[in-house]
Amino acid sequence: PMPSPQTILTWLLGGSLGAAGILQGLHWRATRAPAAVTELEKQLRSATEEIEMLKRENESLRSLAQGGGELSVPRELISRTEREFGLRFLSSPVVHRIAREELRDRIAAAIESRMGPSGIDDRREAWQLTGWLRPDDDLLTQLAAVKAVGASGWFDAVTGEAWMLDRADLRNIPDQATLLRLLTRILFHQHFPPPPAHPGDDAARAREALHEGTAAGAEARFYAEKARNEGFMPMNENSAFKVLFASLPPLIQGLTNFPETEGKGFADSLYVQGNETLHAAFRNPPQTTRSIMTPGEDAKVVAIVPPADIDEPFLTETAGQLGLKLWLRSLDEGVSSEIAAAWRGDRYFLIPDGEESAAILWDIELATAEAADRFQKIAGTKVGTTPENRVLSVARVSPTRVRFLNTAEAATAEQLGRSSSLGDGK
């Protein structure tokens, strides 16, 4: 049988001591036989390399045997983070070591924790019924994998702690950059923690874009400094991630890219105005992805309430301007950004439909009747009956509001297509 990690750890510790003994012996022999210096130097280099290898294997197995342990964070990186953003850590930043094979499971557990007991399953069903996900997409596995594959570190927005792979070597600039990014997340999490309850998907995505975008900016500035001073150029080739990313549905791709693109651009624009402006944004964070995508526009968001016909839904959430854009992208990428820019509110409801089925009702409020016309025309290309005999339909419930339906029963589509769910603006 395969020996336990603790047993292997004992062997490796013995190996490390043995290698250290070799070094001591080489040193003693060198003092007594100067004629063999060249050969002794070769043996010394070989022993040194063996010790470094044993150290790395030791750290990896210690992670498996003892739960990872904590990374010793260099004081200079802590000071750099505090100095750059004009904030001090309220408590010592905690960065755990973790084996690569364990990282994905930890990320998946954090996602489930944020979304509640059935949150991930309900979203998977709702997103499949709207068309964001394909029938065989596994939402939790995909969300965790896209964060774990090829990553050298990860920030847990639930606990406010960070994780780096147990093989991380802080002598390497890329690992230093990863740690700096994680320290930035920890610092802002300590000063501007998330709300106690889930604020809704769109608000959570906006907050993540601000926090992760700020951290990405700090990492980019670190790399730029190393390039100027040391000529270092990061090698960003990550073939495993590229293959995985290409296989994902547009929604997961878009959610993954949003903090790195729009989020970073938004945070960078605040950073150049000074820490006072940046801190003000964290004190009053954007509540919609629209605020990240079109900053400075103070458009009124319309609250949408469920139709009177709907009882207690399994799930109700807001897709936001980002979700609308990604939904439209699969139908007509050329106008997806333009129509999505007219977003003024939305809400979808996952509801019972029939004995063992569910339906989705998604209301989208747009800025003008013209925008609603364009959206209705594009959404209408999905209308019809699916191979599973589900009914896809689109209804106009007001001059500026369009309703998308995916129902198991034709009667449900007819009933909900007529009902109204107009809410007061806010």
Side-chain angles (χ1 to χ4, degrees), residues 120-394:
I120 195 72
D121 293 332
D122 287 343
R123 281 169 178 78
R124 179 184 181 183
E125 183 171 14
W127 295 0
Q128 286 174 337
L129 292 178
T130 55
W132 278 307
L133 296 181
R134 300 161 301 204
D136 58 346
D137 283 326
D138 185 331
L139 179 59
L140 181 60
T141 298
Q142 290 171 331
L143 288 175
V146 78
K147 292 181 180 295
V149 171
S152 54
W154 169 70
F155 175 75
D156 186 347
V158 176
T159 64
E161 298 177 349
W163 300 78
M164 283 194 73
L165 295 184
D166 48 14
R167 290 183 178 270
D169 186 346
L170 294 183
R171 293 172 298 183
N172 298 331
I173 290 176
D175 286 335
Q176 294 172 22
T178 296
L179 180 55
L180 183 67
R181 183 180 189 137
L182 296 175
L183 288 174
T184 303
R185 288 299 310 261
I186 295 171
L187 179 68
F188 280 96
H189 182 95
Q190 288 185 359
H191 283 271
F192 309 100
H198 183 63
D201 287 354
D202 196 46
R205 291 167 188 166
R207 182 186 183 276
E208 176 68 10
L210 174 60
H211 283 248
E212 183 62 19
T214 301
E219 181 183 49
R221 289 187 290 274
F222 179 80
Y223 273 128
E225 178 184 301
K226 292 298 181 180
R228 288 193 306 269
N229 297 340
E230 304 176 26
F232 176 82
M233 296 299 292
M235 301 296 290
N236 291 324
E237 191 68 28
N238 186 343
S239 56
F241 176 82
K242 287 184 176 180
V243 171
L244 170 67
F245 190 80
S247 71
L248 297 174
L251 175 71
I252 307 300
Q253 292 181 355
L255 296 181
T256 302
N257 280 337
F258 186 64
E260 301 284 341
T261 52
E262 283 96 338
K264 181 178 179 298
F266 180 79
D268 284 348
S269 69
L270 297 170
Y271 178 82
V272 298
Q273 298 176 59
N275 280 330
E276 186 176 336
T277 300
L278 183 65
H279 297 171
F282 275 86
R283 281 191 293 271
N284 297 286
Q287 296 299 306
T288 64
T289 50
R290 175 179 175 80
S291 300
I292 302 288
M293 300 166 76
T294 55
E297 288 191 17
D298 190 22
K300 183 170 65 175
V301 177
V302 176
I304 296 177
V305 299
D309 317 67
I310 290 182
D311 294 325
E312 188 67 25
F314 298 131
L315 172 72
T316 175
E317 262 297 347
T318 302
Q321 183 169 320
L322 175 62
L324 178 61
K325 177 183 176 180
L326 296 173
W327 191 81
L328 285 166
R329 181 177 290 174
S330 64
L331 300 179
D332 191 335
E333 184 169 1
V335 299
S336 60
S337 295
E338 185 179 348
I339 295 179
W343 175 92
R344 293 298 182 271
D346 81 279
R347 182 158 291 276
Y348 64 81
F349 305 88
L350 179 67
I351 58 176
D353 185 24
E355 292 295 325
E356 299 180 355
S357 295
I360 197 78
L361 179 151
W362 183 24
D363 277 357
I364 303 100
E365 180 75 20
L366 298 162
T368 64
E370 290 74 21
D373 288 340
R374 297 181 68 190
F375 175 76
Q376 185 175 6
K377 182 178 180 180
I378 293 174
T381 61
K382 294 179 70 73
V383 167
T385 303
T386 71
E388 300 79 22
N389 289 321
R390 297 188 63 89
V391 179
L392 305 182
S393 58
V394 175

Side-chain angles (χ1 to χ4, degrees), residues 21-213:
I22 293 172
L23 286 180
Q24 182 62 42
L26 290 172
H27 174 74
W28 179 78
R29 287 175 56 190
T31 62
R32 304 225 1 187
V37 169
T38 302
E39 180 62 23
L40 288 172
E41 286 179 345
K42 287 175 59 179
Q43 295 180 48
L44 180 64
R45 284 196 299 270
S46 176
T48 301
E49 291 171 359
E50 183 178 356
I51 287 175
E52 288 300 317
M53 180 188 71
L54 288 169
K55 281 182 179 178
R56 290 194 297 271
E57 292 180 355
N58 179 21
E59 290 174 356
S60 178
L61 284 164
R62 190 179 296 277
S63 171
L64 289 174
Q66 300 179 359
E70 292 182 11
L71 182 74
S72 178
V73 180
R75 181 67 232 180
E76 58 266 27
L77 286 183
I78 292 177
S79 298
R80 177 194 175 102
T81 307
E82 293 179 330
R83 186 170 58 251
E84 181 170 17
F85 295 108
L87 297 169
R88 295 188 67 83
F89 284 97
L90 302 180
S91 60
S92 297
V94 177
V95 181
H96 303 280
R97 288 186 177 275
I98 190 169
R100 180 178 293 279
E101 55 270 24
E102 296 175 356
L103 181 60
R104 186 183 302 190
D105 290 341
R106 183 165 294 277
I107 293 173
I111 292 172
E112 287 190 296
S113 174
R114 284 201 304 272
M115 293 187 177
S118 64
I120 195 72
D121 293 332
D122 287 343
R123 281 169 178 78
R124 179 184 181 183
E125 183 171 14
W127 295 0
Q128 286 174 337
L129 292 178
T130 55
W132 278 307
L133 296 181
R134 300 161 301 204
D136 58 346
D137 283 326
D138 185 331
L139 179 59
L140 181 60
T141 298
Q142 290 171 331
L143 288 175
V146 78
K147 292 181 180 295
V149 171
S152 54
W154 169 70
F155 175 75
D156 186 347
V158 176
T159 64
E161 298 177 349
W163 300 78
M164 283 194 73
L165 295 184
D166 48 14
R167 290 183 178 270
D169 186 346
L170 294 183
R171 293 172 298 183
N172 298 331
I173 290 176
D175 286 335
Q176 294 172 22
T178 296
L179 180 55
L180 183 67
R181 183 180 189 137
L182 296 175
L183 288 174
T184 303
R185 288 299 310 261
I186 295 171
L187 179 68
F188 280 96
H189 182 95
Q190 288 185 359
H191 283 271
F192 309 100
H198 183 63
D201 287 354
D202 196 46
R205 291 167 188 166
R207 182 186 183 276
E208 176 68 10
L210 174 60
H211 283 248
E212 183 62 19

